[in-house]
């Protein structure tokens, strides 16, 4: 059972003992995501799991892997997203809640044919993939801040969290987590101790499902190039 205060913090209204979805929130749609990724990315991603709520998408995906939910083809990616996170994860173990429809949370489990000591720069590669998906014509003037922040000007727009699961001479199993502010209520922004912004505020009008599809498509290209050539060429 979730306390009413937490439900309200998540942007959910309580009316006549019913929990109501925010009127201005378009739910994530697995079909729209699947239709939006290119054929090459679709070969890697047989499905995208869409959850109503989760503690952390990275933690949820790790638990599935611990329970043996591995794909038949080790080249395939396992992808999960959620309407809201109750204990989203950031750098240095920071936790936060994100309201329903207010953020875009995405985690991808994949294998790379590189040992862990050759993965330097991967978070920047992921960040560049996200920037290109969001801002392919440069109109939004987005950027990266070392080591894992996605910025719009001086304000934080999102972040990247990469967690290693296993590594040996044959390669590395890891989870890439991507979190973006999509439409944060003012009261949520006021409770954050740094300058933040969201995709609506910087002028991006696409739905979260469309943005997720674009990120997955570009991520496939960037990760493939990183696996082939590393971070420096």
């Amino acid at each position: 059972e979730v306390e009413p205060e937490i439900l309200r913090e998540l942007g959910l209204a309580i009316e006549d003992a019913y929990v109501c979805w925010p009127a201005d929130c378009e739910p994530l749609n697995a079909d729209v995501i699947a239709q939006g990724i290119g054929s090459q990315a679709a070969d890697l991603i047989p499905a995208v799991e869409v959850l109503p709520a989760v503690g952390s998408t990275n933690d949820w995906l790790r638990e599935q892997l611990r329970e043996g939910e591995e794909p038949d083809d080790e080249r395939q990616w396992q992808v999960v997203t959620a309407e809201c996170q109750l204990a989203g994860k950031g750098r240095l173990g920071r936790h936060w809640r994100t309201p329903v429809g207010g953020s875009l949370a995405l985690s991808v489990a994949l294998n790379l044919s590189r040992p862990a000591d050759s993965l330097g720069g991967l978070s920047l590669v992921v960040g560049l993939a996200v920037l290109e998906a969001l801002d392919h014509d440069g109109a939004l003037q987005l950027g990266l801040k070392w080591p894992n922040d996605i910025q719009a000007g001086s304000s934080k727009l999102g972040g990247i969290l990469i967690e290693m699961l296993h590594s040996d001479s044959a390669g590395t199993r890891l989870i890439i987590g991507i979190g973006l502010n999509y439409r944060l209520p003012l009261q949520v922004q006021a409770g954050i101790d740094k300058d933040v912004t969201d995709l609506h505020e910087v002028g991006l009008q696409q739905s979260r499902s469309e943005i997720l599809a674009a990120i997955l498509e570009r991520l496939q290209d960037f990760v493939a190039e990183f696996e082939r050539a590393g971070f420096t060429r």
Side-chain angles (χ1 to χ4, degrees):
E1 184 176 351
V2 181
E3 294 293 330
E5 291 77 10
I6 294 178
L7 292 175
R8 294 188 183 95
E9 184 180 336
L10 294 174
L12 298 168
I14 303 174
E15 298 179 7
D16 299 327
Y18 291 94
V19 177
C20 302
W21 195 266
D24 59 351
C25 173
E26 180 181 346
L28 290 161
N29 188 313
D31 291 335
V32 172
I33 297 170
Q35 292 165 10
I37 63 178
S39 58
Q40 195 169 11
D43 290 339
L44 278 178
I45 305 168
V48 175
E49 185 81 30
V50 178
L51 304 175
V54 70
S56 141
T57 53
N58 269 30
D59 285 349
W60 185 90
L61 197 48
R62 186 189 301 104
E63 187 61 31
Q64 302 307 300
L65 299 173
R66 187 177 295 122
E67 293 175 359
E69 298 293 332
E70 294 274 2
D72 294 332
D73 185 344
E74 66 177 15
R75 295 169 300 175
Q76 289 181 339
W77 293 7
Q78 291 164 278
V79 181
V80 62
T81 184
E83 296 289 358
C84 69
Q85 293 189 110
L86 300 174
K89 298 177 65 177
R91 187 168 172 259
L92 304 178
R94 297 188 180 99
H95 290 256
W96 68 93
R97 296 191 185 107
T98 52
V100 172
S103 68
L104 192 157
L106 168 69
S107 292
V108 181
L110 68 154
N111 293 315
L112 291 180
S113 58
R114 284 177 167 270
D117 60 6
S118 69
L119 298 184
L122 179 58
S123 65
L124 291 178
V125 170
V126 173
L128 290 171
V130 173
L131 292 189
E132 186 162 308
L134 297 177
D135 193 22
H136 56 83
D137 59 1
L140 302 183
Q141 298 183 338
L142 305 180
L144 301 177
K145 179 182 177 182
W146 176 263
N148 64 344
D149 283 355
I150 299 167
Q151 301 275 124
S154 61
S155 299
K156 182 170 180 176
L157 182 65
I160 295 159
L161 179 65
I162 297 178
E163 298 182 285
M164 304 293 175
L165 301 177
H166 172 75
S167 184
D168 56 29
S169 59
T172 302
R173 182 70 164 162
L174 53 85
I175 294 176
I176 296 173
I178 299 168
L180 292 168
N181 301 327
Y182 182 73
R183 185 176 354 203
L184 291 181
L186 292 178
Q187 65 269 26
V188 173
Q189 294 195 36
I192 300 174
D193 61 354
K194 62 172 60 179
D195 289 335
V196 296
T197 189
D198 59 39
L199 293 173
H200 267 254
E201 196 170 328
V202 300
L204 205 67
Q205 300 300 316
Q206 289 96 327
S207 71
R208 288 178 300 151
S209 299
E210 292 168 330
I211 295 168
L212 264 172
I215 289 173
L216 288 171
E217 185 174 21
R218 301 312 298 139
L219 189 62
Q220 184 273 328
D221 291 338
F222 276 68
V223 169
E225 179 63 14
F226 174 80
E227 188 166 27
R228 186 189 71 79
F231 187 64
T232 58
R233 295 184 61 184

